[in-house]
């Protein structure tokens, strides 16, 4: 919300968009796929908005962008880089993120691979949330590391409902990796740490 409000102010300070001041209509989707579909349908049919701005996460942007596409509405999507979002051939979807999920970790991977050989990790562990954004990030890094000879000593995918990270953390500790690449959102990342 704050990011959109900053964009609104910057845009309006420069004269608006298409010679009109930007007005925001914001809905709270409660991170629920059914709510997000209802919200975007209401924004189109009842609020009669001219432009749709995306929500947070691939899980929510997948159904929301489908509503936009079906209604031939421009959908600017800033937070949902799952590759599957872009494999559907949609014409009204615009991505405003630096990279899709499978490329998000490229700079980190390159940094690690550019380390002097004596400092470069030899082993890695990859726990990840089963999520269309988190998992491709981890897999993209893992593929680059494995291709460079960094051996995978532990890899697992866990469900979003998982609240007990002790067994996973214990397995990671037992595997004794030189580097840990965790594919997380927020609560699971905090829980794991």
């Amino acid at each position: 919300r704050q990011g959109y409000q900053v964009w609104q102010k910057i845009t309006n300070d420069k004269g608006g968009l298409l010679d009109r001041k930007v007005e925001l209509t914001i809905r709270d989707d409660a991170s629920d796929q059914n709510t997000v579909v209802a919200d975007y349908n209401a924004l189109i049919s009842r609020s009669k908005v001219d432009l749709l701005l995306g929500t947070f996460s691939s899980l929510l942007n997948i159904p929301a962008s489908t509503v936009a596409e079906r209604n031939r509405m421009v959908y600017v999507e800033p937070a949902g880089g799952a590759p599957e979002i872009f494999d559907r051939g949609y014409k009204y979807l615009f991505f405003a993120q630096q990279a899709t999920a499978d490329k998000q970790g490229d700079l980190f991977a390159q940094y690690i691979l550019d380390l002097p050989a004596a400092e470069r990790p030899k082993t890695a562990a990859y726990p990840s949330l089963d999520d269309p954004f988190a998992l491709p990030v981890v897999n993209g890094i893992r593929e680059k590391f494995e291709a460079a000879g960094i051996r995978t000593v532990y890899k697992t995918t866990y469900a979003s409902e998982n609240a007990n990270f002790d067994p996973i953390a214990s397995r990671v500790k037992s595997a004794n990796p030189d580097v840990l690449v965790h594919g997380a959102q927020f609560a699971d990342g905090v829980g794991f740490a």
Side-chain angles (χ1 to χ4, degrees):
R1 178 183 189 142
Q2 288 175 333
Y4 283 137
Q5 289 169 334
V6 168
W7 169 78
Q8 175 189 26
K9 180 173 178 1
I10 291 169
T11 302
N12 285 342
D13 286 351
K14 293 181 179 181
L17 189 61
L18 300 176
D19 297 323
R20 291 173 41 199
K21 293 287 184 186
V22 171
E23 296 177 33
L24 294 177
T25 303
I26 297 175
R27 301 279 187 258
D28 180 2
D29 58 37
S31 295
D32 179 78
Q33 289 180 316
N34 293 323
T35 302
V36 83
V37 167
D39 284 349
Y40 280 92
N41 277 316
L43 287 168
I44 294 166
S45 64
R46 287 196 292 265
S47 299
K48 307 285 187 205
V49 299
D50 297 307
L51 172 69
L52 297 171
L53 302 174
T55 184
F56 174 78
S57 97
S58 296
L59 286 173
L60 298 174
N61 278 302
I62 290 169
S65 62
T66 297
V67 171
E69 189 73 17
R70 185 179 39 228
N71 287 279
R72 297 182 178 174
M73 293 282 301
V74 172
Y75 187 81
V76 180
E77 194 255 303
E84 67 188 85
I85 291 176
F86 310 100
D87 293 340
R88 301 174 296 167
Y90 285 6
K91 294 177 178 26
Y92 296 91
L93 174 66
F94 292 88
F95 191 46
Q97 207 174 60
Q98 69 271 22
T100 55
D102 54 331
K103 305 289 186 217
Q104 284 282 329
D106 286 0
L107 290 175
F108 170 73
Q110 195 58 54
Y111 164 76
I112 295 296
L113 297 177
D114 285 346
L115 290 171
E119 296 176 24
R120 192 175 313 135
K122 307 283 186 263
T123 60
Y126 306 95
S128 182
L129 173 67
D130 186 9
D131 175 84
F133 182 81
L135 198 52
V137 172
V138 169
N139 287 337
I141 294 169
R142 182 183 50 77
E143 289 167 6
K144 286 171 183 53
F145 282 6
E146 288 177 348
I150 298 174
R151 188 170 51 89
T152 297
V153 294
Y154 180 74
K155 179 179 91 165
T156 192
T157 304
Y158 56 86
S160 61
E161 298 82 28
N162 187 19
N164 180 5
F165 293 94
D166 292 343
I168 296 171
S170 180
R171 288 185 194 107
V172 168
K173 183 178 179 183
S174 294
N176 195 29
D178 296 326
V179 66
L180 168 67
V181 179
H182 186 198
Q185 292 291 339
F186 182 76
D188 62 311
V190 170
F192 183 83

